[in-house]
Amino acid sequence: MKRNGEQEEEVFKVLLGSNHHIKILEQFLKDKEQTLNDIVKKIKINRGRGYQILKELQNSKVVVKVKKIKNIQFYNLNASKEEVKLISRLYNLLNEKNKNLEVEVK
């Protein structure tokens, strides 16, 4: 049986697909400020590919740099971008729906 967190991920991926872009967006939705290393470890892709996708998301202004500590750059979703607001709303709705389904099943 899947844990609640895994069920949430499955619904999100079924609706949007399971490519690396979606996985990276999902990581930012779960945990706000993250480094490239955090992301590539969590979704298990190589650093070069992770950097390339992060650059693409930055170029489209979906992801922004938020701070730098020594030589470590932190990134986050751009909360002022309408697309980010929509994807965040969808993610939260799916999480809420899963919680409600879990309660009904018990």
Side-chain angles (χ1 to χ4, degrees), residues 67-81:
K67 67 182 174 186
K68 190 170 188 175
I69 300 175
K70 295 188 181 184
N71 65 340
I72 302 171
Q73 182 67 59
F74 288 80
Y75 302 89
N76 199 353
L77 291 174
N78 182 357
S80 64
K81 189 150 175 84

Side-chain angles (χ1 to χ4, degrees), residues 20 36 40 44-52:
H20 294 312
L36 174 62
V40 298
K44 298 178 180 129
I45 62 172
N46 74 45
R47 186 174 167 79
R49 181 67 179 134
Y51 182 77
Q52 181 183 27

